[in-house]
Amino acid sequence: MFGLAAETGSDDWVVRLAPDQVALLERLADGQTIAAAAASEWMSLRTANRRVAELRTLLGLASTREVVAAYIKHRRRT
């Protein structure tokens, strides 16, 4: 289900995130839509979608849901 970085249990990807990516992930993990998270973080929906797409590429995941699940898994470990 998760890409290589998420499957190995390595949290290296989390420490490399930009602050706006962390903020988006926090809001998405709390159940907000991308549109609501973008508005809350004062960014355009297009920018938010690009940030999430960057995360999908980084982690080798196919969906935003998988990215959020990987982040939640990390958050539970810390």
Side-chain angles (χ1 to χ4, degrees):
M1 177 172 146
F2 296 124
L4 182 60
E7 282 179 2
T8 62
S10 171
D11 287 335
D12 292 345
W13 65 275
V14 176
V15 297
R16 295 190 319 232
L17 297 179
D20 62 338
Q21 288 173 315
V22 173
L24 280 174
L25 283 172
E26 281 293 326
R27 292 184 182 278
L28 293 172
D30 288 340
Q32 289 188 13
T33 64
I34 293 178
S40 296
E41 293 301 319
W42 299 90
M43 68 175 61
S44 72
L45 178 57
R46 181 179 170 145
T47 298
N49 280 321
R50 278 197 323 257
R51 295 291 185 258
V52 173
E54 291 166 357
L55 292 170
R56 285 195 310 265
T57 300
L58 172 71
L59 296 174
L61 300 174
S63 72
T64 300
R65 181 172 290 179
E66 289 176 329
V67 171
V68 173
Y71 182 74
I72 290 171
K73 185 176 178 181
H74 158 75
R75 197 167 68 171
R76 286 184 182 149
R77 282 195 300 255
T78 57

